[in-house]
Amino acid sequence: MLYTHATIITVDGSRRIIDDGALRVDGDRIADIGKTDALKAQYPDEQEYDLSGRIVIPGLISTHMHTAQTLLRGTADDLELVSWLCERIWVLQGNFTAEDGYAAARLSIGEMLKTGTTCFLESMFADRYGFDGLCRAVEESGIRGCLGKIVMDIARYAQDDAWAMHPGLVEDRETSLLGTLQMWEKWNGKANDRIRVWFGARTPGGVSDGLYKEMTALSRSKGIPITMHCAEVRADRDFFASVSHTPMSYCDSVGLLSPSTVLVHMVHLDDSDIDRLAASGTHVAHCPTSNAKLASGICRVPDLQKAGVNVGLGTDGAPCNNTCDLLQEMKLAAIIHKSVSYDPTAVPAETVLEMATINGAKALGLEDRIGSLEVGKKADFVAIDVRGIHSQPWFNAVSAVVYTATGRDVDVVVVDGQMVVEKGQLLTMNEQEIVQEAQRRSREVVARAGLTEKVKGRWKVV
């Protein structure tokens, strides 16, 4: 298949942008890339798909996502993190069934695909949500998923016993760590290697030192990557201080710092933490909307980047973002650091697009396969329609993508060479069925949790 007449942002080594460009896809790979006229002449018998008026980018990569939480969109707005977590989200998630988890995964994946995300890192999928269902949803949908299954053995947040997990979410070593190994053996590499299984460790304070060390040893011996929330709020910083550590000195002490680890949020760091990160090759997932909405603070992204730390981008879960649209996340990531630094050049549009593509691929250990549009790489790409009145005029393709486009402008999505979205519509999933199931199950979860009245808005509905 030849995809023709597009403006192609390759994010390749030279960062070239091809005007009136074309991509040739053969199977699941990019077979050629160049000017439309040249490729049409070279492959005169190839079937053509016209992308005039579209900007083509590599498939977006979300390095932090909670697929189960999309079922809970809007149930915990305008709360700070610990209240949000302990009084709402954990209570709701503690009342999930495996069927709810599958419905939530399908809802999340459908939204991600429609808004241009072709690969995501699930952070902490609990055993009660049904990990098999999550894998099945990835397999059926055509998306690429790195799936973190929760690892934990302490049922509280940070060092405060008052911040206890809902009993329905509590897991031990056997269920969490050993359960992850079982799922890795069953699912890792399945669906033409679109599924990768990760350790999804709980935040420090939720895992004993011994279990962290066992997990990191297994990570090294078996090649299983790790993702973990870290230094998100001041309470996290207080926990590290209580055990005579900074965030990164603690992570270093239990073996977490590694090129196979993605640490999420990373808001409350000092200079020594940044130095340790850079030296270790550990990656960071930046979630600006979640951090801003929960009033957690702002990650020191410009400082991390200056130090050489690889920073990807994530939407986090729907209850602390309300959308899985990584294009919207890109815009905030570009803007928020300008505001706090008083420097409009702090994080330019080009840097943000790298965060959402090639940097994400590096964080997931997949940079040789995805993250840029190059011959031999997987055919994962997104065509954004910029013909509408809200997109015109534009002069810089990267600026148009980062500052103007949203997920609603996504026209075509291809993953592994397969078209999964066309004209903005899902091809591999029944959107109406997904929505109806999510509506029903979300209300059932809220009712089981006894939170029907609490999730309502502040203003009276008549």
Side-chain angles (χ1 to χ4, degrees):
M1 174 75 79
L2 268 182
Y3 294 87
T4 60
H5 298 298
T7 299
I8 302 176
I9 305 174
T10 64
V11 199
D12 65 7
S14 66
R15 299 299 190 261
R16 63 181 173 146
I17 297 174
I18 305 172
D19 186 40
D20 194 15
L23 281 166
R24 179 171 176 256
V25 174
D26 186 7
D28 61 1
R29 303 277 175 171
I30 297 172
D32 209 344
I33 184 169
K35 289 283 192 177
T36 293
D37 287 349
L39 264 64
K40 286 180 69 173
Q42 189 172 353
Y43 308 103
D45 299 325
E46 194 83 36
Q47 184 180 356
E48 182 178 349
Y49 195 100
D50 192 333
L51 289 175
S52 298
R54 283 79 152 187
I55 297 173
V56 169
I57 62 174
L60 298 176
I61 299 167
S62 181
T63 52
H64 186 61
M65 171 65 187
H66 294 269
T67 49
Q69 289 183 1
T70 308
L71 207 63
L72 308 177
R73 193 192 324 262
T75 59
D77 290 334
D78 303 325
L79 299 171
E80 54 80 34
L81 177 67
V82 177
S83 300
W84 176 90
L85 191 62
C86 299
E87 298 172 12
R88 292 285 179 89
I89 300 306
W90 276 349
V91 179
L92 290 162
Q93 292 179 158
N95 280 276
F96 263 52
T97 65
E99 291 75 20
D100 297 328
Y102 177 62
R106 295 179 74 214
L107 182 68
S108 299
I109 290 167
E111 183 182 356
M112 284 191 285
L113 286 175
K114 286 193 68 173
T115 54
T117 292
T118 59
C119 180
F120 70 99
L121 175 54
E122 158 62 47
S123 182
M124 276 192 313
F125 207 78
D127 191 71
R128 72 172 301 119
Y129 310 155
F131 196 83
D132 284 321
L134 172 61
C135 295
R136 199 166 70 250
V138 170
E139 186 173 40
E140 294 164 352
S141 67
I143 203 167
R144 199 177 297 281
C146 296
L147 310 178
K149 188 177 183 301
I150 196 166
V151 175
M152 65 164 291
D153 60 352
I154 300 173
R156 66 170 184 263
Y157 190 95
Q159 81 265 35
D160 195 329
D161 289 333
W163 299 338
M165 292 187 81
H166 185 277
L169 288 177
V170 176
E171 297 185 30
D172 57 17
R173 171 184 175 274
E174 286 68 30
T175 303
S176 63
L177 181 73
L178 301 187
T180 302
L181 290 177
Q182 291 171 359
M183 290 298 101
W184 179 75
E185 290 168 356
K186 181 176 181 179
W187 285 103
N188 194 64
K190 294 295 176 66
N192 196 32
D193 204 25
R194 285 187 292 106
I195 295 174
R196 298 287 182 92
V197 177
W198 285 45
F199 290 122
R202 275 204 62 216
T203 311
V207 184
S208 66
D209 288 6
L211 191 59
Y212 272 136
K213 290 176 180 177
E214 185 178 3
M215 178 188 70
T216 56
L218 286 167
S219 172
R220 290 189 295 272
S221 65
K222 293 183 176 292
I224 305 174
I226 298 167
T227 187
M228 185 186 78
H229 297 68
C230 190
E232 182 176 3
V233 293
R234 289 191 182 96
D236 294 326
R237 185 83 198 196
D238 293 342
F239 167 78
F240 292 119
S242 75
V243 292
S244 302
H245 276 291
T246 71
M248 293 305 96
S249 70
Y250 177 83
C251 288
D252 199 9
S253 74
V254 294
L256 281 163
L257 297 188
S258 158
S260 296
T261 297
V262 176
L263 298 178
V264 184
H265 299 303
M266 301 291 276
V267 172
H268 297 276
L269 304 178
D270 61 26
D271 291 346
S272 70
D273 290 320
I274 293 175
D275 290 342
R276 281 180 187 264
L277 274 172
S280 68
T282 305
H283 311 275
V284 169
H286 179 38
C287 305
T289 300
S290 169
N291 296 154
K293 189 181 178 195
L294 292 171
S296 302
I298 298 174
C299 178
R300 295 172 58 185
V301 167
D303 293 334
L304 289 166
Q305 292 175 330
K306 286 175 186 175
V309 177
N310 182 52
V311 181
L313 201 62
T315 60
D316 208 340
C320 59
N321 188 323
N322 300 70
T323 180
C324 303
D325 183 351
L326 200 63
L327 282 163
Q328 292 190 49
E329 200 72 29
M330 288 166 64
K331 181 173 183 177
L332 183 60
I335 289 173
I336 198 167
H337 300 288
K338 304 180 194 309
S339 176
V340 297
S341 67
Y342 300 97
D343 178 5
T345 69
V347 181
E350 289 80 4
T351 297
V352 173
L353 185 57
E354 289 170 341
M355 290 166 66
T357 54
I358 192 63
N359 289 10
K362 290 175 182 175
L364 304 185
L366 298 173
E367 68 270 29
D368 62 333
R369 298 171 178 237
I370 60 174
S372 62
L373 301 178
E374 302 180 65
V375 173
K377 281 197 169 185
K378 291 281 191 175
D380 289 15
F381 60 88
V382 175
I384 298 170
D385 194 334
V386 288
R387 295 174 294 180
I389 191 169
H390 62 287
S391 300
Q392 292 292 331
W394 61 269
F395 300 92
N396 174 337
V398 177
S399 174
V401 169
V402 173
Y403 291 122
T404 305
T406 73
R408 292 177 178 85
D409 298 311
V410 169
D411 182 51
V412 169
V413 178
V414 174
V415 185
D416 231 25
Q418 178 187 13
M419 190 180 293
V420 294
V421 173
E422 183 177 24
K423 296 179 180 176
Q425 301 301 310
L426 289 169
L427 301 181
T428 56
M429 310 173 78
N430 185 322
E431 183 172 351
Q432 184 178 7
E433 177 187 298
I434 290 170
V435 169
Q436 290 174 348
E437 181 81 353
Q439 288 174 334
R440 177 176 67 84
R441 289 194 173 277
S442 65
R443 283 160 176 75
E444 290 175 353
V445 169
V446 170
R448 284 199 299 273
L451 293 176
T452 301
E453 293 302 314
K454 286 192 174 182
V455 301
K456 293 180 178 179
R458 290 174 173 82
W459 291 354
K460 184 178 180 181
V461 178
V462 296

